[in-house]
Amino acid sequence: MTLAELIAQARTALDTAITARQQEQDALMAMRSDEHLTEDAVAARVATRDAADAEVTRRQETLAGLEAEQVRENELAALQARTVPASNRAPAYDRVHRVGQDARTYRPDEDRRGAQFQRDVAAAFLGDYEARDRLARHMTEERVERGDQLQRAVGTGAFSGLVIPQYLTDMYAPLARANRPFADACRRHTLPAQGMTVEISRVTTGTSADNQAAENDAVSETNIDDTALSVPVRTAAGQQTASRQSIERGAGVEDVILDDLFRAYGSRLDNTMLNLASVGLTNVATSVAYTDATPTTAELYPKVIEGLSGVEAALLDQASGDNLAVMHSRRWYWMQNAMGTSYPLITQPGVVAQTLGANYAEAYGRGVRGILPNGTPVIVDNNIATNLGAGTNEDEIYLVDRQECHLWEDPDAPVYIRAEQAKAANLGVLMVVYGYYAFTFQRQPHARKIAGTGLITPTFTGA
């Protein structure tokens, strides 16, 4: 019996021992659920399980010893091939070791394209021991039959069919997207289970109170009135049809497609909240003009304070003080590049004196990126347009009360549909991602935006 056959026999015995041990463990767990269980019965079953466990260990050690012996045999065969005298370029027929009755591991007459060899290379890379054994046996056969040829000085170019490229599928580069930083910072609500609109009552005419002119005179009275605010429920969705071949014979193709669809969904939702006609933040916010041919951070900052002042003036006693400044990443980094000697005269909580704010060093899309000199948190969102204004090169800064930026979403959104029957005749698989959502900034109109030529494409000059 050959060493390879002994190894195969040892593996079979180990598999049998593992199966027996698992059966003993299952029997032990079933016994423990018996209400009338005795300690002696448990001890006996544990002893049986431990004996099976010991048998697994013994079989494992036997297999390890045989595999180590096989490795040593391969090393000796390689050493023998290397020590063949260089002068024996063409040894006589009867002086060459040849494979006799045993067939070659990889036979050209059965697999002309070498597909089995390539599959074994990939499987060995992933830890398949049997594939490694077949490759080792193949190399031993090659050294026996062509040892003198294998010693020649050749490069990988001589083995274009054997030097196989490795595809690092776990390191694939996804398409970079803006995703949903602002949406994630908004006040979240669960979208109602039914209906395609969300209706909110807004008191637009309030009651009144005044000083009584004289005793027994009528006091002030104004009839309260409300106006319904209708917020439409929107649907964001995307689809991709992939061939069954790409999914079933590819590596992680479906996961890559789904990841991109989910991030495309998030980017579309966020972009809609910021830029949609009529109801997007850019279209409902009151503009604070910043016009400057040579803009600087020091000149921009007072506009931020003006905008925040407008937010509070609009909300009055409904202001939560939980304000946000939302800007493009190019604007945030431009503000960080500013250098100067002028500092606010009034210090703010959480901001070190004589600084222009603080950067929290958070990655894009991970929440608050930093704070401005007055303590206002900053959200960086690259769904903000950068082609605004007459020169189509301006962006905007939005100033809002977070508690009045409302977003309703289904807790399970986005939903994934995988439909095989729809494209069955084409061997295709249809993947659809969709979700329902609604948003509004108009429950209490308040938002402000800084816009104008002072927000053209920034130049990083330290000013």
Side-chain angles (χ1 to χ4, degrees):
M1 183 176 290
T2 65
L3 189 55
E5 291 172 339
L6 288 173
I7 290 175
Q9 190 178 67
R11 284 189 178 135
T12 301
L14 176 58
D15 290 340
T16 302
I18 291 173
T19 301
R21 193 268 180 196
Q22 187 59 49
Q23 291 173 347
E24 293 297 335
Q25 177 66 16
D26 292 343
L28 176 60
M29 297 305 295
M31 175 181 287
R32 285 172 171 165
S33 64
D34 187 352
E35 297 180 354
H36 306 290
L37 185 65
T38 64
E39 292 185 2
D40 291 340
V42 172
R45 180 58 67 180
V46 168
T48 305
R49 191 274 314 274
D50 291 345
D53 204 30
E55 178 66 12
V56 171
T57 301
R58 187 176 72 81
R59 294 292 184 183
Q60 188 178 12
E61 292 173 349
T62 300
L63 176 59
L66 290 172
E67 289 178 335
E69 187 176 346
Q70 178 69 70
V71 171
R72 181 56 179 164
E73 289 298 319
N74 293 342
E75 291 175 348
L76 291 175
L79 180 62
Q80 184 180 32
R82 288 198 298 271
T83 56
V84 174
S87 60
N88 295 337
R89 295 298 183 185
Y93 179 87
D94 59 352
R95 300 192 63 184
V96 176
H97 294 283
R98 298 184 181 277
V99 176
Q101 296 179 351
D102 291 340
R104 288 294 300 264
T105 304
Y106 305 109
R107 296 174 54 184
D109 59 324
E110 294 183 351
D111 185 8
R112 298 184 62 83
R113 296 180 179 274
Q116 180 60 46
F117 172 75
Q118 296 184 39
R119 284 195 293 269
D120 281 351
V121 171
F125 179 76
L126 297 174
D128 187 327
Y129 291 105
E130 292 185 0
R132 291 179 182 177
D133 287 345
R134 286 192 292 272
L135 291 171
R137 189 160 60 249
H138 169 66
M139 289 308 299
T140 300
E141 295 164 356
E142 287 293 293
R143 293 189 186 99
V144 168
E145 289 197 350
R146 301 191 298 123
D148 59 323
Q149 299 178 38
L150 294 178
Q151 293 183 63
R152 294 179 181 177
V154 295
T156 58
F159 305 100
S160 58
L162 303 180
V163 182
I164 302 171
Q166 298 299 311
Y167 293 94
L168 306 181
T169 56
D170 59 324
M171 292 185 64
Y172 83 95
L175 177 67
R177 295 185 181 275
N179 223 312
R180 45 178 294 166
F182 174 58
D184 288 338
C186 290
R187 184 176 174 183
R188 304 287 293 277
H189 309 277
T190 298
L191 186 68
Q194 295 178 326
M196 291 305 292
T197 58
V198 177
E199 299 289 337
I200 301 175
S201 172
R202 294 183 58 240
V203 175
T204 50
T205 301
T207 60
S208 62
D210 201 355
N211 297 318
Q212 187 179 28
E215 294 180 15
N216 293 318
D217 281 358
V219 298
S220 176
E221 179 183 11
T222 302
N223 292 334
I224 192 170
D225 191 16
D226 78 332
T227 302
L229 173 63
S230 296
V231 181
V233 175
R234 305 177 190 277
T235 306
Q239 66 175 321
Q240 178 68 67
T241 301
S243 69
R244 295 194 70 88
Q245 293 90 334
S246 66
I247 293 175
E248 294 177 358
R249 302 191 62 81
V253 171
E254 187 170 0
D255 291 338
V256 170
I257 294 173
L258 282 180
D259 174 70
D260 193 60
L261 279 172
F262 282 134
R263 291 185 300 110
Y265 170 88
S267 297
R268 171 47 54 195
L269 182 150
D270 190 89
N271 189 290
T272 301
M273 294 181 67
L274 288 169
N275 302 309
L276 186 64
S278 302
V279 295
L281 185 57
T282 184
N283 293 303
V284 301
T286 301
S287 183
V288 175
Y290 174 37
T291 303
D292 197 325
T294 56
T296 66
T297 300
E299 293 170 347
L300 170 63
Y301 180 63
K303 297 296 181 179
V304 174
I305 300 301
E306 180 182 346
L308 291 170
S309 172
V311 168
E312 185 165 314
L315 291 173
L316 298 176
D317 67 342
Q318 296 302 301
S320 70
D322 186 9
N323 296 329
L324 286 177
V326 186
M327 64 185 70
H328 195 278
S329 63
R330 74 179 192 178
R331 192 59 51 195
W332 174 238
Y333 283 104
W334 177 72
M335 293 184 74
Q336 289 184 59
N337 104 115
M339 307 290 288
T341 57
S342 300
Y343 306 96
L345 298 179
I346 301 176
T347 60
Q348 303 291 338
V351 181
V352 179
Q354 296 186 334
T355 62
L356 294 174
N359 176 40
Y360 288 168
E362 287 289 346
Y364 179 86
R366 300 287 179 83
V368 174
R369 296 290 295 275
I371 54 176
L372 297 177
N374 70 328
T376 300
V378 174
I379 297 294
V380 171
D381 193 329
N382 281 14
N383 280 307
I384 294 174
T386 57
N387 60 347
L388 305 175
T392 64
N393 60 348
E394 300 172 11
D395 54 78
E396 296 175 338
I397 298 175
Y398 304 108
L399 304 164
V400 295
D401 187 313
R402 187 203 303 256
Q403 299 305 313
E404 288 302 332
C405 296
H406 300 276
L407 171 63
W408 290 265
E409 280 191 283
D410 189 312
D412 297 325
V415 177
Y416 168 48
I417 299 175
R418 189 181 194 272
E420 298 186 8
Q421 295 303 318
K423 300 289 183 178
N426 303 84
L427 284 183
V429 176
L430 175 62
M431 290 169 277
V432 179
V433 168
Y434 76 95
Y436 304 121
Y437 69 100
F439 71 91
T440 185
F441 311 107
Q442 293 295 87
R443 176 178 175 270
Q444 295 283 0
H446 71 287
R448 296 295 188 271
K449 68 177 182 181
I450 303 174
T453 56
L455 295 174
I456 60 173
T457 303
T459 56
F460 296 88
T461 60

